[in-house]
Amino acid sequence: MIHEITDESFDAEVAQSEVPCVLTFSAGWCTMCDEMAPALEALSESLGSAIKVCRINIDEQRGLRIKFAVAAIPYIVYVANGTKTPLFDGLTTAERLEERVRFMLDGGEAPTTMPL
């Protein structure tokens, strides 16, 4: 299941989430975002309750677009324990996405982790 996140629901749904979240920033007009949708659905199914997969529409949620400094879409970020880690900027495969998320879930550290 992919959760739709708004500027208003971000704190309750993501920042205060007890499970890590994978955020995908996208837009309805973005064909590459449409191409990523099956990979995100597969990630949600394969990792089940270990993560929460979330979608943020950059055209409708300008506050989050600015907060995360989204410059290109699709943009995928891992959020856990009050930190955000950029994962991908652009297209990737379902396998690479799951590999990177599993790395983060297993305690892997990325050099670009920043406070929320």
Side-chain angles (χ1 to χ4, degrees):
M1 168 183 206
I2 296 182
H3 302 265
E4 296 292 333
I5 303 300
T6 66
D7 291 339
E8 294 78 21
S9 70
F10 178 81
D11 284 340
E13 291 287 324
V14 177
Q16 298 171 12
S17 177
E18 294 187 13
V19 297
C21 297
V22 175
L23 309 180
T24 178
F25 291 86
S26 62
W29 49 263
C30 174
T31 57
M32 289 192 302
C33 300
D34 291 343
E35 290 179 41
M36 279 300 304
L40 294 162
E41 287 288 348
L43 181 69
S44 178
E45 290 174 16
S46 69
L47 295 179
S49 61
I51 62 163
K52 183 189 292 187
V53 179
C54 305
R55 181 177 16 242
I56 299 168
N57 183 313
I58 64 163
D59 290 331
E60 297 171 1
Q61 310 308 322
R62 291 185 46 99
L64 291 171
R65 177 182 180 181
I66 293 166
K67 177 182 179 97
F68 282 83
V70 177
I73 55 173
Y75 181 55
I76 301 172
V77 179
Y78 180 86
V79 174
N81 303 318
T83 63
K84 58 184 177 181
T85 304
L87 297 181
F88 292 99
D89 184 359
L91 289 176
T92 190
T93 65
E95 295 79 17
R96 286 188 67 210
L97 177 60
E98 184 170 339
E99 178 183 297
R100 185 86 47 97
V101 171
R102 284 187 184 277
F103 172 78
M104 297 302 294
L105 285 171
D106 290 340
E109 293 187 28
T112 56
T113 298
M114 300 164 272
L116 255 181

